Amino acid sequence: MKKNGINIILGAFAVTLTACSFVSLNPQAESTTVLPKGSSYTNCKYLGNTNVSIWSKATTFQSQEKAESQLDTLARNEAASMGGNTVTPTSEIVNGQRTYGVYNCPVK
């Protein structure tokens, strides 16, 4: 019986741990904007795509919004390293992965 109790506690801890966010925004990416899919990019320079991913099972243990937020953060980090200041999703989330377009847009 004692072994079952330990397994339950370890299992609950694992589920809680996977639901937490381990994605942090790099300081260079703080001003990077995420625009909705299909937005207009007037006067923006397209820099390319970035593919970002979180653990594919993470979406099992957390909400869709949480998964999107983590992927957005990863895309913002990548955009900053590419010289961009704007990202937009160009695909749906599949197995914890998503593709984003990266742009450098005039700052308003």
Side-chain angles (χ1 to χ4, degrees):
M1 191 67 165
K2 188 175 184 181
K3 196 172 191 177
N4 276 345
I6 291 172
N7 287 339
I8 290 171
I9 291 170
L10 289 175
F13 178 72
V15 168
T16 302
L17 190 61
T18 57
C20 296
S21 172
F22 294 104
V23 179
S24 60
L25 185 64
N26 294 338
Q28 311 89 293
E30 288 179 0
S31 62
T32 302
T33 305
V34 180
L35 293 179
K37 195 173 183 178
S39 295
S40 173
Y41 307 100
T42 307
N43 300 321
C44 296
K45 180 180 179 186
Y46 173 72
L47 301 176
N49 286 331
T50 186
N51 298 306
V52 295
S53 64
I54 54 175
W55 179 53
S56 64
K57 301 291 184 204
T59 54
T60 303
F61 300 108
Q62 61 188 4
S63 69
Q64 179 75 12
E65 292 80 20
K66 181 81 166 174
E68 284 181 24
S69 174
Q70 291 181 41
L71 290 167
D72 287 351
T73 299
L74 289 169
R76 290 171 68 192
N77 289 341
E78 287 297 314
S81 70
M82 294 170 65
N85 61 6
T86 304
V87 295
T88 187
T90 59
S91 72
E92 298 302 319
I93 299 172
V94 178
N95 295 324
Q97 299 179 2
R98 191 175 220 182
T99 302
Y100 290 78
V102 179
Y103 298 85
N104 188 355
C105 299
V107 179
K108 295 181 182 183

